[in-house]
Amino acid sequence: MKIIVLGAGVMGTAFTMPIADNGHEVHLVGTHLDGDIIEEIHETGVHPRLRSRVPDRVTPHPIASLGEAIRGADLVVLGVNSHGVAWAAEVLGPLLPPQVPVVMLTKGLHGDGSTLRILPELFSAHLPSGRVTNVMAIGGPCIAGELAARRHSSVVLSGRDPVALRTLAQALRSPYYHVWTSTDLTGVEVCVALKNLYALAVGLVIGLLEQEGIASNGARMHNLAAAIFAQGLYETAYLVRLMGGRVESVYTLPGAGDLYVTCQGGRNSRMGRLLGLGMAYAQAKAEHMPSESVEGAMLAEAIGDTVRTMIRTGALDAGQIPLMLRVIDIVCDGAPVNIPWEAFFREVN
Amino acid sequence: MKIIVLGAGVMGTAFTMPIADNGHEVHLVGTHLDGDIIEEIHETGVHPRLRSRVPDRVTPHPIASLGEAIRGADLVVLGVNSHGVAWAAEVLGPLLPPQVPVVMLTKGLHGDGSTLRILPELFSAHLPSGRVTNVMAIGGPCIAGELAARRHSSVVLSGRDPVALRTLAQALRSPYYHVWTSTDLTGVEVCVALKNLYALAVGLVIGLLEQEGIASNGARMHNLAAAIFAQGLYETAYLVRLMGGRVESVYTLPGAGDLYVTCQGGRNSRMGRLLGLGMAYAQAKAEHMPSESVEGAMLAEAIGDTVRTMIRTGALDAGQIPLMLRVIDIVCDGAPVNIPWEAFFREVN
């Protein structure tokens, strides 16, 4: 296959490893934000943030060469960030024959003020009017650096067409890249988007523990972190069902697996720590992580107003998502951390 | 309330903290294995393994005083280990008025060669013939040392009678001990038993990483651990449904929450590491953890034969529990670690 990956961030680039190893012809096209990365790959063969050598089968391109690179492509993979989805659809639309499927690595949800949408729907909505493209997505616990190091990584390829899923999964699978398939595109996308927000919430505990210290008997705060982890999955299940997804996605790779891996460190955890230490979000962001994308906070900002509106109109039940609402308050309004225990696990019993 | 806790291990003793703080009259009765512990609490007021002061409201007793201590009790709490459940029923049976409910802290499953049973059923089966006692259970992510240090801990009290659950949860709750209720006794008990086995499986990755080392780009093996974590929950959901429980228990505190906390360290993880390093189970146990209870391995031993029989008779589908079967092979037969990727996540799609 000829595969175009648009977006040369860590995930887009790491994804080129298994597909290049599988013998596909791979073209990695940087966005206008990736100019330096593409240049560095050209010069040294190494992705600067991934600190890994890009396979020889992968041809790097600047965004200006997209039109040329995409000619004859069998598959386009989107590695842009959540802010780049509409742009990508608008750029790709005129270049992309309708029969070429798209696979999104991008994670997020879109709030338009009154409803929440998964990103494959946002992408499709920005394609030329009337265009029907098979948009699939990959989700699951996959730290880019580990995939780039060819360490065992397990993901779910999701979409609406089971035959297309099976064929494509076969083409993507490698001895270290384990690809399952799911027709629950909505469930998978909701899970993998929300995990960033809930990983930030679990990360709060790192800061709370630093403040309070280890107890005299050696006790830490794993019980607290685990309760937040579980409440996050509970709320994820509520939203997955509400948006038409299946709960199976919540307790498998996209939900539990991806939340687990995202809690093992990374930017959401680091921001959670700062907030747990008592810093206001704006200060934490400006002073400690000014140029870093904290995806959990980006999600809170992207859907905060929409979620609040949907609660006012009765489209969402505030009692089912108290932890999400607290994270939105923390990120959007600078509210202090104050875990709403009494509101957790409403449905149990 | 007058509450008797039978079993002075770390969990039984830690449980006395919130109930004593709530003003109940608490009696901690050691089993015949807990003689030294009870003596030490008498002398120093401190539980030796928990390294925490036992509240003054808690009266320690040796097993010989059980009959005296239990007189007028409103509640009996079982803190014995999984091997002690039948014994506890036989000892308590003649002493316990039928209207006094029992709450089990003990985790495990019982395999009798042809079927699997949750421990509350095993306990009831060993009560005097015809006796009907309300047996409830507490599950969820609760490391004993953290509860003893009065750090936020969240659990589910489960049983068949919603009114009794609500009343008792109210009596147990404290500002740091968060108690929800669930009528899914089967689901909760299956989840909290299996988490030990799957935490051992996640722990394998610690050893595998030590063997392989950190990659040149800094990559570890969190993706691998997360996939095993998710497969564990997938298999848990299969068994919960099969035994008549509800999947809600899998993605909340008893399943995801308790597995998460159990993966943060402890004996299952330490055994997993040794196995991941390539040691055979018998050698790892004998040389490194001779006198320690590794609950995940104990569960594999307790249910291994029964699970294999149930697969032969068609009562269990081997394709739904490949990870459990591998852990059983490792623990019961000394099989090497070899992750059965191709068999994971059978139902997805």
Side-chain angles (χ1 to χ4, degrees), chain A residues 143 146 151 181 213 223 348, chain B residues 143 146 151 181 213 222-223 348:
Chain A
I143 294 172
E146 294 188 14
R151 301 216 147 171
T181 59
N223 292 354
V348 179
Chain B
I143 295 172
E146 295 188 15
R151 301 217 145 170
T181 60
H222 297 308
N223 292 353
V348 178

